[in-house]
Amino acid sequence: MTHDEMTALLERIAAHNPVLFPLFSLEFGDAVVGVERGELLATCRDLFDAGFDRLGMVTAVDRGEVFVLVYRLHSRSLSAAIFVKTQVPRHDPWVDTVVDVWPAALWQEREVFDLFGVEFQGHPDLRRILLPEDFVGHPLRKDYDDPRMIRRPDYI
Amino acid sequence: MPMTIESSRPASTPDGTPVEELVVNIGPSHPSTHGVGRVIVHLDGDIVVRAEPVIGYLHRGIEKMAESRTYLQVVPLTDRLDYVGSMYANWSYCRAVERLAGIRVPERAEYLRVIVCELQRIASHMMGIGASAADTGASTFFIYAFDHRERIVELFEELCGARLTYNYVRPGGVSYDAPEGWFDRVTAFTQAFRYGFDELDQLYFGNAIARGRLKGVGVLTPEDAVAWGASGPTARASGVNWDLRKHDPYSVYPRMDFDVVVGERGDAYDRGRCRLFECLESCRIIDQAVAQISGGPVRTEGLRRLIAPKPGEAYDHIESARGSLGIYLVSDGTPKPYRMHVRSPAFCNLALLPMLAEGHTLSDLIVVLGSLDPVFGEVDR
Amino acid sequence: MALVDKVGSAMDTGPGGVVLTSVDALVNWSRGQSLWAFPMGTACCAMELIAASFSKFDFDRLGTFPRPDPRHTDVMILAGTITEKMKPVVKRLYEQMPDPKWVVAMGNCTISGGIFYYDTYSVVRGADEFLPVDVYIAGCPPRPESLQDGIVQLRELVREESISPGRRHERRMLLPRPGDGEHR
C-alpha cells in the first residue's frame, strides 16, 4: 500500500471519528492513528471493514498519568500495517474490548489486564492469565513495587 | 502430578440421560505438554467438551527486566524467550533496536543472520515435530530428527561458543565472523539433510499409525486462522499464504529464491508436514546465502556500547519457526528501553487450543497441542 | 517405621554392624548404578536435558533413565527457571518421589535465579529455597556432559547412604526449616 492510499484510507476513517493524537503520522514506517477510547471499537470496526483482518498485537505503555493502549493491525489484501492507539486515565483504566472484531484479542487483552490492570469492558473471560490468581498488583506499571524484587546495581 | 482426576460432577443430556462430566488436569509437569503447559480438560466419556489451557508457569517477567537494562544487555534475555529457536528473538529484537536508533547493518552480517536463522528453523522444527511424534509413540523419529538438530547445534557452537543460548545477533551486526571452513560444513549439513529427508518423511508421515492419528485432527479453517491471529506453519497449513519472508520481506530475503509451503486441510498432519517441508526450503535458502555471501565486516564500525536512541517507538517482526515474532520497543531517550513488548507467536497460536481440541478425544488433544508447537518460554515470557 | 528401617536398626546393633556395612555397600552400589531421573524440565535447560538422554550423549549408559512419573524415580533433575507459580508444583512432585531421593539443580536459574535474579517479580531465586539440593551444576545452560558429570558425582553421595536410620547420611539436616525462604 502506498503512502497516498494509506492517507486516503485514514482520512476516510477520520471523517466520522474524532481523533485524539494528530491525525496520523508515519512513525518509523508504520501508520499510527489515535482515537478517543470511546471511539476505539467503532474505529476498529471501520478498519476491519477496510480490510485489516488480522490483529497482530495488543499491548499497553505506562505513560504516567495515562496508559497508552497499542493495537497493531495488518492486512494481507492491502499488504499494509497500522497502529491504533488510545489512552486511558490511570485512575480509571477501562476500554471497550475488540474481541468481537478479532477473537485474537481474547488472550492478549487478558494479558494487558493481568500486567497493567486495564479493564476491557465486554470481554467474555477477563481473568489473570500469566500470574497466579491471587497475585496482588499489576507488575508492568512503572510504580509497581514488590519486596521480592531486588534492584539491579547500575554498573553502566 | 501427570494426570490426576480432580472431581466429577453429574450432568445430563437434554433428553434427561445422566452424563458424568469428568475434569482431568494435564500438567504443568507432563511429558507431552512440551514444557510447563497445563490444560484443564472437561470430558464427556473420552470426548473433550472443553479444554482450558492454563499458562504462566514460566512467566519470568522479561518485559519488566528489560526496562532496567541497557539495550545491549537485553539481548541475552531475548535468548531465553524461545529457547528452541533463540536466534529469532535475538534478531527480531536487534532489528527493532536498529530501526529505533538508525543503525545500519553490514551486508555480510545480514547474510550470516539469514544463514543462522534458517539453520535454527530446521533445528526448531526437528524438535517440534520430533516431540509431537514422540507423543504419538514414534520415538524413533524423534531420535532421527534430534540427530539433525544436534548437528546444527554443533555448527552454532563452533560459530559462537554456545549450544543453546547464543547471544549471537547483536545490534549492528553479529558477534563473531564465521570460522575457517564453517560455510563448507554448513553446506555439508544441508546436503546430508537433503539426503536423509525422504527417510524422515516416510518414517513418520508415511507411517500408517501416524496418518491415522494425525489426519483430520484439530482442523483449523483459514478464516479462523486469520481471525485468531495464527501465524507461521500453524496458519500456513490451513492454506493461509502468509510468510513474512515473502510478504513483508526483510534483510536479504528478497534476493533468495524459495517457495512458501502451504497446506490444504489445516489438520495436525498438515501442520507437521508443512514444518518438515519448510526445512527443505530453508536448505535452499542456506545454500543460496552461502553462495552469495561476500567478505567485509560483520559489525558496524564505531557503534557505541551505550545505545541511546531518540525518544520514539519501533516495531519489527520476523518470521520465526513458530510464526511472526515481533518486538515493540519504546524509547525515552535514555540508554534503557522504556518498554519492551514481545508479540509472541506461540502465545497467539496456543489460544487456538480450546477451539481445535473440542469434540476430539483426550489423546487427540495431545496431538493438537503438539501440532501447535508451543514453547512455553515464549508463551509466558 | 518402614520395614527397611526396622531391618536396618536390627542389623546396626552388636556384631550386626559388619553385615550392615556389607549390605549397605551392595544396596548403595545398585542404587548408584541405576539412578532413574525425574526430568523436572521447565525452561531452556530442559533442552539440554533431552539432548543428554539422546544418542550423542546417551544417558542410559550411566544407568540414568528419564521417567516422567515421580513415583518411579530416585533423582529429580531440576532444569530451568522456577517461578512462584511453579514452586508449589515442584514441591508437590518432590514429595511424591519415594525415599531415598536426591535433587540435582541443573543450571544457574535453579541455583540462584541466574540471569533472572534481579528486577523480576516472579522467579524463585534458587531451588534450595524450598528443596534440599544435593548437586549443583552451573551453566546457562550447562552442557549435557556437565549433567552427566553431576550424576557421577551424585553416586558419591549415594555411597554414604545407609539402611540404618542411625547411620543415615545427615543430608536431611540441610532441609530448610519451615519459614525459610518465605520472607522473600
Side-chain angles (χ1 to χ4, degrees), chain B residues 98-368:
Chain B
E98 284 152 10
R99 191 178 270 235
L100 200 58
I103 302 168
R104 295 183 68 82
V105 183
E107 198 182 73
R108 187 177 172 84
E110 289 283 12
Y111 274 105
L112 275 168
R113 288 174 176 192
V114 167
I115 292 170
V116 294
C117 277
E118 292 306 322
L119 283 171
Q120 184 77 85
R121 192 180 310 276
I122 301 175
S124 174
H125 283 344
M126 286 297 112
M127 184 69 209
I129 315 166
S132 57
D135 293 344
T136 56
S139 304
T140 314
F141 177 82
F142 195 10
I143 290 168
Y144 274 59
F146 212 85
D147 199 36
H148 287 298
R149 182 190 155 83
E150 201 61 44
R151 285 183 210 182
I152 294 168
V153 168
E154 276 168 23
L155 285 172
F156 284 158
E157 191 180 2
E158 211 177 326
L159 188 64
C160 56
R163 277 172 55 87
L164 200 66
T165 46
Y166 309 109
N167 192 10
Y168 180 63
V169 183
R170 309 265 177 93
V174 294
S175 60
Y176 301 105
D177 202 345
E180 188 79 28
W182 190 74
F183 293 112
D184 297 335
R185 290 189 281 280
V186 170
T187 318
F189 167 77
T190 57
Q191 279 172 358
F193 185 79
R194 281 206 185 88
Y195 183 75
F197 184 80
D198 282 345
E199 189 185 40
L200 273 184
D201 189 24
Q202 285 305 311
L203 189 59
Y204 187 49
F205 294 102
N207 186 314
I209 299 171
R211 281 165 183 260
R213 283 297 301 274
L214 302 181
K215 277 199 170 171
V217 172
V219 178
L220 176 65
T221 61
E223 296 78 32
D224 279 341
V226 172
W228 283 80
S231 52
T234 308
R236 286 197 286 275
S238 302
V240 181
N241 190 347
W242 179 254
D243 189 326
L244 295 175
R245 292 174 294 173
K246 207 74 159 179
H247 300 107
D248 189 6
Y250 53 95
S251 189
V252 291
Y253 279 112
R255 298 178 206 170
M256 304 293 169
D257 175 31
F258 67 100
D259 297 319
V260 178
V261 183
V262 178
E264 287 167 4
R265 291 178 297 271
D267 53 3
Y269 185 81
D270 271 19
R271 282 197 280 279
R273 205 140 186 250
C274 267
R275 291 201 173 88
L276 191 64
F277 278 82
E278 256 180 31
C279 297
L280 215 51
E281 296 301 321
S282 292
C283 283
R284 273 174 77 186
I285 298 174
I286 294 165
D287 287 348
Q288 290 171 54
V290 169
Q292 288 175 17
I293 194 167
S294 53
V298 294
R299 261 200 271 189
T300 307
E301 298 294 323
L303 188 65
R304 292 177 60 220
R305 192 167 63 88
L306 276 186
I307 306 167
K310 62 183 192 302
E313 52 196 64
Y315 177 85
D316 212 308
H317 54 183
I318 62 165
E319 183 72 26
S320 90
R322 265 151 277 283
S324 53
L325 169 65
I327 302 272
Y328 177 66
L329 271 180
V330 180
S331 161
D332 61 347
T334 60
K336 295 173 182 177
Y338 185 75
R339 167 98 174 93
M340 180 180 92
H341 176 71
V342 184
R343 190 269 176 204
S344 142
F347 180 80
C348 295
N349 291 350
L350 190 66
L352 292 163
L353 182 70
M355 189 175 72
L356 297 187
E358 204 182 302
H360 288 295
T361 60
L362 181 60
S363 53
D364 286 345
L365 176 114
I366 301 296
V367 171
V368 173

